[in-house]
Amino acid sequence: MTELRASVGRVSNNNAQSPVTAFVRVSGPPNSNFLVGYPGISATLPRIEGKVEIRPNGGVSAPVGISYVCIGLYRRESIHPHADKVIGNHLAAPRRDIRDLVGKEMRLFQCSPGKPFDSVLAMDLPFVLFIPFARAGDDVVKVPPASLQLPSRIAETYYELVVSVQEGHRELKKHAFPVPLCRYDTLSTFGMYNRPESQERVSDHVVTLGTSLSRWSFGPNDPVEIFVRLTPNPDWMSKARKVSIKQLVATIEEQITYNPEGDEPKTVVNKLISKKEVISQKLPEKGYMTTVNLRFPSRELRDSDGFIPRGKPAFPLHRVAGFTTTATLYKIEYFVSVKAHMSSCKDIQVRQRIIVSPFDHQTCMDEMDAIEMAARDAYHINIENPMLPAATIIRPNDPYALHCLGLTMVGNKRKLLID
């Protein structure tokens, strides 16, 4: 069972209620994760399921005064375009961050009318938070971007389950639990990414460079096969016969745009991998064709001893440093660039957009059956009334109330239930 914990410290005994504060924990469904369904795939109704557990803090059995409990999913984004650079004698631009509520908050408990709080020994409050998803033809709903942290934290997105607990007249306490979130709408096994894509560019009206990809979604270690064709212009054959092909350079580029919707967007292009093929021949009258094979770069997750280090709770472990995503403060895109260096003619470059998934092709294939099963399970769920289990609230005067805390009364003494 997935389980997250947070606690708050004790407060002064001067309050007009028990000095015991609440211990708050969020647990997921048995033997599964919080995240149910596949974000980005509307048919699976992506959602976060679990329950908020409230107990007396510190292992004591005194009741806790609870007035109000609610839960919400929040997205936090931050960028620092200069975090990976050293600027001597100058202050770098400050980090910029935002915090937004994803969807709606869900109220889990409200005390009885006319009372400042209800005294409870234990509370188990089930919840389900639906992650926004876009249906066909719906351009209003914005699907939340996936959790991501680029090297040097130049850009990051992460999510938190925030439980707000009001304990009587005390200050409202917020308990945050990080939740990693992936997107599954860029899997390379989807049909829309498995059709050929082509682009062409012309140089001096003499030579045309064309590139073609049989599919255009890739993950770590996936082969990238680029079909390249150089053809002369039949109306300018006298000039085309003088053209020689020196070399072809194929590159996979990562393009990060900071503040894409702001006043001063900034774009940074990083070359991930490059391959050069020396041709050194005249351009044939029938044209020149070749295939350039690259392998999308992958990072090693294991350390020098062969162990996978413990990951950060807010970010999933991926074999790619980044992937195609669009957030509020940044946007990451990928391109396959092919440049033909020639003589007696200007060099030509073609830049073709591709989609980068955090999962390799084999992993994408393995997920397809699970996605289909999740879609069948979600078919019977009503978003307006998801039929949650009833909340469990144990009050001090309930029969066997102490049993929920593992205690019982023996005479006038409290003892462990196991005794």
Side-chain angles (χ1 to χ4, degrees):
M1 179 175 66
T2 306
E3 183 179 286
L4 297 176
R5 302 189 178 192
S7 62
V8 294
R10 296 181 180 273
V11 296
S12 171
N13 292 348
N14 295 329
N15 289 321
Q17 62 184 70
S18 171
V20 178
T21 55
F23 171 80
V24 179
R25 179 176 65 182
V26 177
S27 59
N31 302 317
S32 66
N33 202 349
F34 290 98
L35 190 60
V36 182
Y38 290 81
I41 303 178
S42 59
T44 63
L45 291 184
R47 57 204 181 274
I48 296 177
E49 293 183 359
K51 62 181 178 180
V52 175
E53 301 176 1
I54 298 179
R55 301 290 188 271
N57 194 18
V60 296
S61 58
V64 182
I66 303 295
S67 303
Y68 176 82
V69 181
C70 72
I71 189 171
L73 180 65
Y74 284 82
R75 182 181 85 249
R76 304 193 69 169
E77 283 184 18
S78 66
I79 58 172
H80 197 333
H82 305 288
D84 55 346
K85 298 179 182 178
V86 177
I87 305 176
N89 299 326
H90 292 282
L91 291 176
R95 175 175 292 276
R96 182 181 174 191
D97 62 323
I98 60 172
R99 182 174 182 266
D100 285 333
L101 174 66
V102 179
K104 299 179 180 179
E105 281 192 330
M106 182 179 182
R107 185 172 63 182
L108 304 179
F109 175 78
Q110 179 75 52
C111 68
S112 305
K115 296 176 62 177
F117 58 86
D118 283 355
S119 295
V120 297
L121 283 180
M123 304 181 79
D124 290 341
L125 308 174
F127 69 89
V128 57
L129 296 173
F130 288 95
I131 299 173
F133 54 87
R135 296 186 183 273
D138 190 356
D139 297 330
V140 178
V141 178
K142 187 175 180 180
V143 182
S147 303
L148 173 65
Q149 185 180 60
L150 293 182
S152 301
R153 295 185 62 208
I154 56 177
E156 65 181 10
T157 297
Y158 63 96
Y159 293 84
E160 292 178 327
L161 277 175
V162 178
V163 181
S164 301
V165 180
Q166 180 70 56
E167 301 181 46
H169 302 293
R170 295 192 177 108
E171 182 182 355
L172 181 69
K173 298 290 184 180
K174 292 182 179 290
H175 309 261
F177 307 90
V179 176
L181 186 68
C182 296
R183 284 275 294 270
Y184 294 87
D185 49 347
T186 59
L187 300 187
S188 58
T189 45
F190 288 151
M192 58 184 174
Y193 300 124
N194 287 311
R195 51 186 173 83
E197 289 285 327
S198 303
Q199 280 200 7
E200 289 185 348
R201 290 291 184 274
V202 181
S203 175
D204 292 342
H205 303 285
V206 178
V207 180
T208 300
L209 171 62
T211 61
S212 178
L213 297 170
S214 57
R215 63 184 179 94
W216 49 291
S217 176
F218 306 96
N221 281 326
D222 283 350
V224 182
E225 189 179 61
I226 313 167
F227 178 74
V228 182
R229 181 168 184 171
L230 284 163
T231 54
N233 186 345
D235 298 330
W236 295 78
M237 285 304 299
S238 58
K239 290 187 176 181
R241 290 189 185 98
K242 301 176 183 178
V243 175
S244 295
I245 310 171
K246 296 181 180 178
Q247 62 184 19
L248 293 174
V249 180
T251 308
I252 297 179
E253 299 175 344
E254 177 186 64
Q255 178 176 297
I256 306 175
T257 304
Y258 301 97
N259 297 319
E261 300 176 0
D263 297 333
E264 298 180 357
K266 176 188 174 182
T267 301
V268 178
V269 178
N270 304 313
K271 293 184 178 180
L272 301 183
I273 190 173
S274 182
K275 184 177 183 180
K276 179 172 67 174
E277 290 194 358
V278 179
I279 309 299
S280 299
Q281 72 174 57
K282 287 282 188 180
L283 177 64
E285 292 187 6
K286 293 184 179 180
Y288 177 82
M289 293 179 291
T290 187
T291 300
V292 181
N293 293 296
L294 298 174
R295 188 167 292 276
F296 196 88
S298 170
R299 66 173 182 170
E300 180 56 57
L301 297 181
R302 298 181 182 273
D303 58 19
S304 58
D305 296 323
F307 297 102
I308 298 179
R310 182 182 296 273
K312 299 179 181 179
F315 304 101
L317 282 176
H318 295 310
R319 289 190 174 273
V320 287
F323 45 82
T324 302
T325 183
T326 300
T328 303
L329 297 180
Y330 64 93
K331 178 172 62 174
I332 305 178
E333 301 170 287
Y334 291 85
F335 297 87
V336 167
S337 172
V338 177
K339 187 172 184 179
H341 297 264
M342 297 175 291
S343 62
S344 302
C345 179
K346 289 183 179 179
D347 298 342
I348 322 174
Q349 183 176 10
V350 171
R351 244 174 137 235
Q352 191 167 347
R353 188 189 305 273
I354 61 173
I355 299 296
V356 173
S357 169
F359 314 105
D360 59 27
H361 192 66
Q362 184 60 47
T363 303
C364 294
M365 292 178 63
D366 295 340
E367 286 287 353
M368 295 306 291
D369 290 340
I371 291 174
E372 184 179 353
M373 185 179 299
R376 289 199 301 264
D377 294 341
Y379 179 77
H380 304 285
I381 296 177
N382 183 1
I383 297 181
E384 303 299 329
N385 184 17
M387 299 295 291
L388 288 173
T392 301
I393 302 176
I394 307 296
R395 305 178 189 275
N397 296 328
D398 292 345
Y400 306 106
L402 290 177
H403 287 194
C404 69
L405 301 177
L407 301 174
T408 189
M409 295 296 296
V410 178
N412 294 325
K413 295 183 179 181
R414 293 174 180 169
K415 293 193 174 183
L416 292 177
L417 189 60
I418 195 172
D419 293 340

